[in-house]
Amino acid sequence: MHKICIYSLKMKPKEFVFIFAKNEQEAIQFYMKTFNQKPMNYHESLLDFEFTRGNGGISFREMRKEFESFPAITGYFKRL
């Protein structure tokens, strides 16, 4: 059993993708394989961070239970 973390990888100045992975190297490799480019930067996020999904809220910790294999893209975020 491996620890799974959540990483925020910057795609463009105001666009980010969140990836579940074992470590930052795995997250970066998965990003590069998926998007054919290096991320502008990256950092590990907190699994307990809560955000709105649909009419309710969910944390990355709860969302992780919805995935069976890793690494995996969990979503995208665009700052206005």
Side-chain angles (χ1 to χ4, degrees):
M1 191 161 178
H2 296 280
K3 177 183 173 187
I4 299 296
C5 301
I6 185 73
Y7 295 91
S8 170
L9 293 94
K10 191 171 190 177
M11 303 175 77
K12 295 180 182 175
K14 295 184 178 185
E15 294 181 24
F16 303 83
V17 62
F18 292 96
I19 297 176
F20 279 128
K22 288 186 265 186
N23 54 50
E24 64 186 37
Q25 286 89 4
E26 184 179 62
I28 293 167
Q29 288 174 352
F30 185 71
Y31 178 94
M32 290 173 46
K33 181 180 174 186
T34 303
F35 299 105
N36 296 316
Q37 65 183 25
K38 285 185 171 184
M40 294 177 76
N41 65 32
Y42 57 89
H43 71 274
E44 184 175 350
S45 296
L46 297 174
L47 286 172
D48 292 324
F49 179 78
E50 252 190 59
F51 53 95
T52 303
R53 184 171 79 169
N55 293 329
I58 189 168
S59 69
F60 284 119
R61 186 176 306 281
E62 293 167 352
M63 185 184 282
R64 184 178 60 191
K65 297 172 188 172
E66 299 173 1
F67 293 85
E68 294 181 14
S69 64
F70 302 97
I73 292 175
T74 64
Y76 298 88
F77 175 74
K78 186 173 183 177
R79 266 191 291 179
L80 301 175

